[in-house]
Amino acid sequence: MAAQSKSRAGELRLWRNARLATMAESSAGSGVVEHGAIAVRNGRIIYAGPEADMPAALSKGAEATDCEGRWITPGLIDCHTHLVHAGNRANEFEMRLAGATYEEVAKAGGGIVSSVTALRAASEDELVAQSLPRLDALIAEGVTTVEIKSGYGLDLENEKKSLRASRRLGGERPVTVRTTFLGAHALPPEAKGDKDAFIDLVANEILPAVAADGLADAVDGFCEGIAFWPEQIARVFDAAKAAGLPVKLHADQLSNLHGAELAARYGALSADHLEYTDEAGAAAMAKAGTMATILPGAYYFIRETKKPPITLFRQHGVRMAVATDNNPGTSPLTSLLLTMNMAATLFGLTVDECLAGVTREAARALGLLGQTGTLEAGKSADLAIWNVERPAELVYRMGFNPLHARIWRGQ
Ligand code: DI6
Ligand code: FE
């Protein structure tokens, strides 16, 4: 990797003597190429396949890197995070370990509202500074694309601040950031218990303003008894449609409010969590092409016992992505590698499902499959190069990072 500093965007670059897990849809399993090479020009893959079959013209004059037999996967994609937040809730964690209930924690000023208070008090610069170490932890494990939600601002000014901070993170580091507006996340204190009035504010004022400023790539909501009812989420989704933004949903995490069907009805990119989703929900998602985003970190951290219906998703052909759900309350997790291990160990996903879940399927869940997520000609050269004997090791280990190098858009 010595020649990296000399490279320029317009130059032809080559990674050779590598083993590839292309994750291409057309291939079986992980799309393994044993003696592989990847050629890149202007930040795009122009060839990925057997080194012996590569057109000779592609290697002429190329700046070549000998990968010494290492594995290359697509750069990892974390398609569901609340990474931009202020402070943390370790105190709440400690209280719960000491036996406090959620209500007691909430009464002591804990819960989601404490994160809202902290975010409102933080400047945009502080938010960026506090969020960078979390982003860096993801990047250190080969992440090249990350989705970041708002939802701790809960008024126009603070939601915009949160989304601007997310966009800025993409300028601070070599990583693709996609932002999601999650105004319907929780009820802020000033709403005084009036969920309908707050949803009106989100749908009629905050969302259109955020969309007009180009601050959001998608719209999300939290459909749950402790958050918002399906009819309320539907009003937010109608506003998203009017603004031309795709939707996704926190659905059926703690109870079955038929969030999966709601997401499907709106043609959502994904429905996420899904622990309490039933067969009708899985069938509706399959029919609509709405994906499942599996979030084992939150399941683990809140010690949930009901698992998402993975078998039903497979039977109905619902595609599955896997993500950290990084957030201060229910998933303070910044390792996509550990998340894969959890998805396999806790939910029984196969190695191929885990790897696809953080690459190809995560790209699909963000509407980015045309740009990234697999090692195929035409895509952005987002690569992760690993010191492993086989890709299964990426899922198998816990708390070990075998990343050798990470390439984002060819650099
Ligand atoms: N589901 C969750 O698990 C988190 N948000 C959501 O919609 C919780 C976020 C928090 O407690 O801060
Ligand atoms: Fe979440």
Side-chain angles (χ1 to χ4, degrees), residues 154 183-184 186-188 191 194-203 206 228:
L154 304 182
L187 199 62
D194 192 341
K195 289 188 184 179
D196 276 316
F198 179 68
I199 288 294
D200 282 342
L201 179 71
V202 168
I206 307 180
F228 298 101

Side-chain angles (χ1 to χ4, degrees), residues 116-136:
V116 173
T117 306
L119 184 132
R120 287 178 173 182
S123 69
E124 192 180 310
D125 287 346
E126 282 164 0
L127 268 184
V128 170
Q130 285 195 36
S131 302
L132 268 174
R134 293 187 283 273
L135 179 61
D136 285 339

Side-chain angles (χ1 to χ4, degrees), residues 138-154:
L138 293 176
I139 286 174
E141 289 187 349
V143 167
T144 49
T145 300
V146 60
E147 184 253 24
I148 307 176
K149 303 175 196 296
S150 67
Y152 293 115
L154 304 182

Side-chain angles (χ1 to χ4, degrees), residues 80-82 149 182 185 220 250 273 295 325-327 330:
H80 179 142
T81 85
H82 311 247
K149 303 175 196 296
L182 177 56
H185 189 201
D220 197 346
H250 284 71
H273 288 286
L295 305 169
D325 194 18
N326 172 260
N327 78 68
T330 61

Side-chain angles (χ1 to χ4, degrees), residues 76 166 219 240 253 376:
L76 306 189
S166 298
V219 171
Q253 180 187 4
E376 289 178 285

Side-chain angles (χ1 to χ4, degrees), residues 131-340:
S131 302
L132 268 174
R134 293 187 283 273
L135 179 61
D136 285 339
L138 293 176
I139 286 174
E141 289 187 349
V143 167
T144 49
T145 300
V146 60
E147 184 253 24
I148 307 176
K149 303 175 196 296
S150 67
Y152 293 115
L154 304 182
D155 61 26
L156 178 59
E157 181 200 337
N158 287 295
E159 285 292 294
K160 280 166 78 167
K161 177 176 75 184
S162 177
L163 292 163
R164 280 196 308 265
S166 298
R167 288 261 196 255
R168 272 177 57 187
L169 289 174
E172 298 276 341
R173 294 292 185 268
V175 67
T176 302
V177 171
R178 300 292 279 185
T179 57
T180 299
F181 171 64
L182 177 56
H185 189 201
L187 199 62
E190 67 274 12
K192 297 197 164 49
D194 192 341
K195 289 188 184 179
D196 276 316
F198 179 68
I199 288 294
D200 282 342
L201 179 71
V202 168
N204 302 332
E205 291 178 36
I206 307 180
L207 189 154
V210 160
D213 284 0
L215 284 171
D217 301 311
V219 171
D220 197 346
F222 189 14
C223 185
E224 196 64 62
I226 59 163
F228 298 101
W229 302 107
E231 313 79 65
Q232 295 169 330
I233 297 291
R235 276 149 61 200
V236 176
F237 282 2
D238 287 333
K241 291 259 137 129
L245 291 173
V247 299
K248 57 179 88 176
L249 187 63
H250 284 71
D252 309 334
Q253 180 187 4
L254 308 169
S255 63
N256 185 4
L257 292 184
H258 305 286
E261 282 100 320
L262 173 67
R265 195 157 76 244
Y266 278 86
L269 286 167
S270 68
D272 303 27
H273 288 286
L274 304 170
E275 278 80 345
Y276 286 81
T277 298
D278 58 17
E279 179 149 24
M285 287 172 66
K287 194 149 169 247
T290 293
M291 295 184 49
T293 297
I294 303 300
L295 305 169
Y299 169 93
Y300 164 87
F301 195 76
I302 65 173
R303 298 193 226 171
E304 177 59 66
T305 51
K306 180 120 173 51
K307 300 181 188 209
I310 303 298
T311 307
L312 288 176
F313 294 149
R314 289 186 187 125
Q315 280 168 2
H316 286 271
V318 176
R319 297 172 178 285
M320 292 183 283
V322 174
T324 63
D325 194 18
N326 172 260
N327 78 68
T330 61
S331 189
L333 171 61
T334 47
S335 168
L336 206 43
L337 292 175
L338 180 57
T339 304
M340 280 198 281

